């Protein structure tokens, strides 16, 4: 590696083929934004799109817009735009509801598929990781408690334990592809194959993967997937999530939130539910259209590049960040919590520090925005569409200065959102 200097980082930006895409985002002056893994930056196009939806489609065209502006079709149209980013086919993805709600639907449908098959009906265990994002665990707890049919959650503590835990009692494996805390990346194809050999189904949460790392759902033969659009996909705060059900599972996919948008003929107003044949059966009810429309502006930026180009830059950014923190902050008690191996790393990097929360607050005070996660973790997201190599340099210099000067308040009160 050449000597790491700010000049070297500037030259990396000059050679970077993705650099022009940064112009398509609205980023405040003087801010280094390393939290696009939690809330993606605003595509400039979102502002004019919002104006169009609110003023023309809502204000002027009123209810006609369900047809004339394509509102009713929007969940599936956006799903088809998103599909190539996750290795899905047309007609397999809808953008709707939240990740938590979509987890509920996929969990319920998966358990029902297993229960309906005499060969797997006795399986009662759902396997996930203790380190999974809490809502994934909570939704599974809520569903199984409510079903009251003897299902239980098995929380594993390591990848090795995961392998042996998946067995003939396993109904479903539910994993998050890139861990929200450590940034560790699972081998989707290998774990999916292992789960299938054991007769289990598998549900992947792509919250920190979609738009961050290449995902090949169909090639891996995964069963179900869900994920966020407000993180790496830049859909806007609280923008709707996605759910993927491959074609071969769609006919058997029945979830209990059987609202009218999932009906075969929603405007026939029939007194009983009949699921529509395709992926739209994963829908429930009317969507917040202003928010949903914003998702397209984020996806339009992805349409101008490839996940391979994004991955190459993401690894270069995270490699650089790790190397700089470890060389320039070497005298401080920082411990890398993210795998060094490329094959095991997503697009964010976490360091453990005894005063992690206070240090993150001090960084934010200087316009360098990362976030804090329990326990004691500073998390930095790298979003190749708009993060520059020089940002990495400047962020590490800010961190080094804060640590050298002890310019942070260890006893600072916590905000509601950390
Ligand atoms: C961010 C995230 C969620 C968020 O779920 P919401 O329903 O959008 O609040 C879920 N799962 C994982 C793994 C996440 O990282």
């Amino acid at each position: 590696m050449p000597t790491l200097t700010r000049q070297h980082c500037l030259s990396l930006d000059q050679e970077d083929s993705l650099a022009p895409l940064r112009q398509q985002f609205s980023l405040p002056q003087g801010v280094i934004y390393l939290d696009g893994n939690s809330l993606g930056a605003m595509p400039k196009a979102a502002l004019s799109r919002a104006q169009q939806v609110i003023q023309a489609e809502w204000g002027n065209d009123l209810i006609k817009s369900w047809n004339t502006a394509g509102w009713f079709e929007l969940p599936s149209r956006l799903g088809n735009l998103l599909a190539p980013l996750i290795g899905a086919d047309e007609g397999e993805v809808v953008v709707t509801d939240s990740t938590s709600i979509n987890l509920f639907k996929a969990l319920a449908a998966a358990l029902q598929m297993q229960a309906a098959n005499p060969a797997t009906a006795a399986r009662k265990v759902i396997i996930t990781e203790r380190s999974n994002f809490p809502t994934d665990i909570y939704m599974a707890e809520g569903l199984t408690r409510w079903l009251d049919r003897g299902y239980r959650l098995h929380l594993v503590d390591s990848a090795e334990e995961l392998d042996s835990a998946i067995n003939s009692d396993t109904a479903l494996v539910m994993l998050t592809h890139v861990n929200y805390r450590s940034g560790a990346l699972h081998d989707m194809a290998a774990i999916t194959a292992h789960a299938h050999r054991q007769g289990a189904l598998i549900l992947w949460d792509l919250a920190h993967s979609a738009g961050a790392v290449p995902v090949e759902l169909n090639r891996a033969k995964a069963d179900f997937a869900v994920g966020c659009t407000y993180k790496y996909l830049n859909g806007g705060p609280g923008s709707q999530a996605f759910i993927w059900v491959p074609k071969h599972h769609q006919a058997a996919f029945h979830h209990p939130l059987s609202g009218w948008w999932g009906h075969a003929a929603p405007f026939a107003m029939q007194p009983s539910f009949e699921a529509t044949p395709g992926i739209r059966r994963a829908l429930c009810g009317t969507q917040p259209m202003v928010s949903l429309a914003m998702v397209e502006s984020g996806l339009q930026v992805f349409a101008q590049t490839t996940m391979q180009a994004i991955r190459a830059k993401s690894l270069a950014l995270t490699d650089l960040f790790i190397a700089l923190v470890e060389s320039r902050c070497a005298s401080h008690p920082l411990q890398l919590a993210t795998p060094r191996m490329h094959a095991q790393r997503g697009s964010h990097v976490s360091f453990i520090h005894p005063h992690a929360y206070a240090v993150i607050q001090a960084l934010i005070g200087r316009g360098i925005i990362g976030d804090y996660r329990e326990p004691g973790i500073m998390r930095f997201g790298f979003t190749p569409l708009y993060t520059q190599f020089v940002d990495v340099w400047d962020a590490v210099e800010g961190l080094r200065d804060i640590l050298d000067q002890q310019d942070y308040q260890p006893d600072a009160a916590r905000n509601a959102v950390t």
Side-chain angles (χ1 to χ4, degrees):
M1 193 181 280
T3 324
L4 293 172
T5 60
R6 190 167 195 275
Q7 193 54 45
H8 172 66
C9 296
L10 285 168
S11 65
L12 289 175
D13 284 320
Q14 268 175 354
E15 295 155 16
D16 170 23
S17 64
L18 295 184
L21 296 178
R22 178 176 164 89
Q23 300 310 320
Q24 299 185 29
F25 291 90
S26 166
L27 293 159
Q29 278 292 318
V31 165
I32 296 175
Y33 192 57
L34 301 180
D35 217 353
N37 55 314
S38 209
L39 174 63
M42 188 191 106
K44 287 178 182 162
L47 199 58
S48 49
R49 182 73 184 107
Q51 181 140 22
Q52 183 186 27
V53 176
I54 293 172
Q55 207 160 51
E57 297 178 8
W58 177 22
N60 196 65
D61 297 343
L62 290 160
I63 200 164
K64 291 181 291 182
S65 285
W66 285 108
N67 294 310
T68 57
W71 286 355
F72 191 63
E73 292 305 322
L74 197 53
S76 14
R77 195 165 66 77
L78 293 175
N80 288 334
L81 291 176
L82 198 157
L85 302 183
I86 54 172
D89 288 336
E90 195 159 312
E92 292 185 336
V93 183
V94 278
V95 179
T96 187
D97 299 331
S98 67
T99 300
S100 301
I101 304 279
N102 289 335
L103 280 166
F104 182 86
K105 297 175 199 166
L107 281 161
L111 294 183
Q112 181 166 337
M113 269 184 208
Q114 294 289 59
N117 177 352
T120 53
R123 294 168 176 251
K124 294 291 183 189
V125 179
I126 301 171
I127 292 186
T128 191
E129 291 176 289
R130 195 178 308 279
S131 64
N132 199 348
F133 191 84
T135 207
D136 298 54
I137 299 175
Y138 302 163
M139 294 309 292
E141 280 181 343
L143 174 67
T144 54
R145 198 183 311 123
W146 184 76
L147 281 174
D148 196 18
R149 288 185 204 154
Y151 289 108
R152 63 183 181 84
L153 265 180
H154 178 165
L155 304 180
V156 302
D157 289 296
S158 68
E160 302 73 57
E161 195 188 332
L162 183 63
D163 262 10
S164 56
I166 302 171
N167 60 29
S168 58
D169 292 331
T170 310
L172 178 69
V173 181
M174 171 183 72
L175 293 174
T176 295
H177 187 216
V178 175
N179 186 277
Y180 78 100
R181 203 191 265 128
S182 66
L185 167 68
H186 277 304
D187 183 339
M188 178 182 285
I191 298 174
T192 298
H194 177 60
H196 286 170
R197 277 193 300 274
Q198 299 298 321
L201 292 170
I202 190 158
L203 161 59
W204 288 98
D205 187 331
L206 304 179
H208 288 276
S209 311
V213 297
V215 178
E216 292 291 347
L217 285 169
N218 274 319
R219 199 170 298 163
K221 299 188 163 56
D223 295 300
F224 314 98
V226 300
C228 296
T229 67
Y230 55 76
K231 293 174 176 166
Y232 290 92
L233 296 176
N234 311 307
S239 62
Q240 285 91 333
F242 62 87
I243 178 166
W244 170 77
V245 182
K247 293 252 164 63
H248 68 277
H249 276 329
Q250 287 177 0
F253 188 88
H254 298 288
H255 67 86
L257 303 181
S258 46
W260 70 312
W261 277 44
H263 195 281
F267 285 90
M269 302 294 179
Q270 295 298 313
S272 80
F273 184 79
E274 183 197 334
T276 194
I279 185 62
R280 284 181 72 96
R281 65 175 49 200
L283 300 177
C284 178
T286 309
Q287 293 299 298
M289 281 298 147
V290 178
S291 186
L292 192 62
M294 298 302 97
V295 174
E296 187 164 8
S297 306
L299 293 176
Q300 278 166 347
V301 187
F302 282 91
Q304 301 165 51
T305 181
T306 62
M307 283 313 301
Q308 283 60 39
I310 288 171
R311 176 63 169 166
K313 183 174 173 187
S314 160
L315 287 171
L317 289 166
T318 52
D319 277 345
L320 176 68
F321 182 71
I322 293 169
L324 285 175
V325 170
E326 292 189 335
S327 58
R328 302 195 59 85
C329 308
S331 62
H332 298 287
L334 287 162
Q335 186 193 332
L336 181 66
T338 300
R340 287 180 199 276
M341 275 183 47
H342 285 177
Q344 297 173 4
R345 189 195 308 160
S347 201
H348 65 269
V349 174
S350 298
F351 278 95
I352 299 168
H353 185 274
H355 297 297
Y357 184 75
V359 174
I360 280 289
Q361 291 307 308
L363 280 166
I364 294 171
R366 294 185 183 204
I368 302 165
I369 303 181
D371 63 21
Y372 172 81
R373 286 294 175 266
E374 287 291 341
I377 284 182
M378 301 192 284
R379 194 174 68 153
F380 303 93
F382 297 87
T383 44
L385 297 181
Y386 53 86
T387 305
Q388 308 170 107
F389 289 93
V390 74
D391 294 338
V392 176
W393 175 274
D394 290 342
V396 175
E397 285 310 284
L399 175 63
R400 184 180 61 78
D401 193 62
I402 286 166
L403 295 174
D404 285 353
Q405 311 293 327
Q406 290 194 27
D407 183 20
Y408 53 85
Q409 257 89 48
D411 306 320
R414 297 276 166 97
N415 291 323
V417 176
T418 63

